[in-house]
Amino acid sequence: MLQFGGLVSLFLHFRWNWVGLITSEDDSGEIFIRTLALLLARNDICVAFTEKAVPETLVILPHLKQWAKQVSKVYRSEAQTVVFFVDANSIRYLMAPITQLMKNKGTSVGKVWILTSRWDFAAARSARTFKYLKHFHGSIFFKIRTRKVPGFDKFLSALDPYRSPEDIFLRGWWEVVFDCKFLKPDQNVSKNQRNCTGQEKPEDLPTFVFSKKMTGYSYSIYNAVYSMAHALHDAMYSAGSKLAMMPRGKRLLTLQPWQILSSLRKIRFNNTAGDEIYFTEDDKRPAAYDILNGVFFPNRSWAEVKVGGLDPHAAPGEDFSINPDAIVWVTQKTPFSRCVESCPPGQSRKVLEGRPVCCYECVSCPEGTFSNQTDAAHCTKCPEDQYPNKNQDQCISKKTSFLSYQDILGMVLASLALLLFLTTSLVLAIFIQQQDTPIVKANNRDLTYVLLVSLQLCFLCPFLFIGRPKKTICLLRQMAFSTVFSVAISSILAKTITVVLAFVATQPGNVARKVLRRQPANSIVVACPFIQAVICAVWLATSPPFPNLDFHSTPGEIVAECNEGLAAMFYTVLSYLGLLALVSFLVAFFTRKLPDSFNEAKFITFSMLVFCSVWVSFVPTYLSTKGKFTVAVEIFSILASGAGLLGCVFFPKCYIILLRPHLNSKDHLVRKKV
């Protein structure tokens, strides 16, 4: 499994997700495909194609044509990385179609061959196969890691096919590497053949053809033989004294397979190369692998450069190593073996229906999300106190936002509130100075003072709304605003009712005189704000306002606000103010045609119309705005409605007092409307 994991790690390292597989047409090839495909799917790597190579024993003309078709398919595929899981003899038959294809196309195949440890160059090394090595330039292959075995080089130097005529494998290898033939006594040398004399020296062969380093396969066989020897030795001595008394030959025949297997699982020894040999719990010997890069030089020499490895003893995640800078690619740069281009940060993959998972589309991250990785499977939401940047590839901290005096909007509203406060103070000063004049006396002087003072406080309320919200401020601002405005509207209602009663009282025998003597205006000014105060007390007792940080309403900002607690109480307060204003409007509207001496009702009617218009339009505007602009809408409504009351009720009187003093006389006030 280590080699399978190494293949996946190699693909992930170079971000290859579109690869081809060529395997042998046998059980081992099926197992390879089944095992590797499962690992590839877990890592979102797709198989572009799978081709099966026929065994060497079945290489006949029809199959050679099949090979040519397979090579053509491999060439046309967009997959630039192809994995071979075939033996050396089978892969030789692939080289002829590739060579022919290169001649026809006038260029290299341009694919990166990834060869598993099943393929070993040493198994097919000969002068004849050397010419095919150029097709493996830039290839990457896995090789079982070996150690230098003492005495192995001397053993190779002493090889002599005539001393071991029964060793058919040695004779076969000799004929391949020296391109000669061992002839029988009655055979003659053919025209294109050379007789093997046995005097040929392996040391004279090119390094590619003959190497004194033990191959991975040979090293595995070497360890297997010694493992079996240790297991047999342990099994014989573990069987007891009865077995020990038998002759050696009979001892082996007496041993049962399960005894040998039991001993084989327990062995642990160091071989002559210094490697510790043992078997894991799943009866496998952990083998390390070298990752090599094949390089074919212009001078027709070949080198196998180590560029990485697989270490079964390393910690998880550290068992794979690769040095990409040491790799020589056939394409001169890291191959692009993907179905589609990578999705850059700020986008995520979207798998299309009916297509492999590797053939996806790149879609921008939804609002409020980001991706800081290439080929992100999905976009991630930023933390509450952060928001994605313009490219949506990272999160940046949100700025805390509230209506402050440093904001232009805050400065304008604060200046306007201060101006209206000073204007109201000026009107109050004028009325105090002119308190004994007929126009001041005729308009209920005490109620006028109460109304002006309440308007002053109304224009100071916006200063509770500007600045960073705090607990005390949040508790006070809506309570102060609603209570003060209740006093102002109650004063107007009291003035309007007083006007009605005063007109009715002029008629002889009317009970309105008795009512006027009891000063109902004072009761109205006290009772109406008291009801508002009770509503506010219930609000504070049940769900009071509190400072809050709103992370979601305004993109890129943390809104510092006063959460009103129970929103129903806030709208109850506004509804009560609206009720007072509506009653005042109706009373003033029905008394607007009274004689001129009581024509203040006309101005009150218009002021209430302005007041109601402002607060009716406030509700939808308040609900549709976000952040600090919500506060600004409420401040503007406070100032606009207060300014409407001040302007409609008092500016006509100030006009008479300051600019038309001759109209500020008792004769003018008692003059009836014709």
Side-chain angles (χ1 to χ4, degrees), residues 524-537:
I524 293 173
V525 172
V526 172
C528 292
F530 177 76
I531 295 175
Q532 185 72 289
V534 170
I535 296 174
C536 291

Side-chain angles (χ1 to χ4, degrees), residues 423-461:
T423 303
T424 307
S425 301
L426 179 61
V427 172
L428 179 60
I430 292 173
F431 271 68
I432 292 175
Q433 185 185 12
Q434 302 290 328
Q435 61 181 333
D436 295 325
T437 60
I439 197 170
V440 176
K441 289 181 178 180
N443 286 282
N444 198 326
R445 183 170 52 192
D446 294 337
L447 285 178
T448 299
Y449 292 159
V450 172
L451 178 57
L452 286 171
V453 171
S454 63
L455 286 176
Q456 280 183 310
L457 295 176
C458 286
F459 294 134
L460 291 178
C461 284

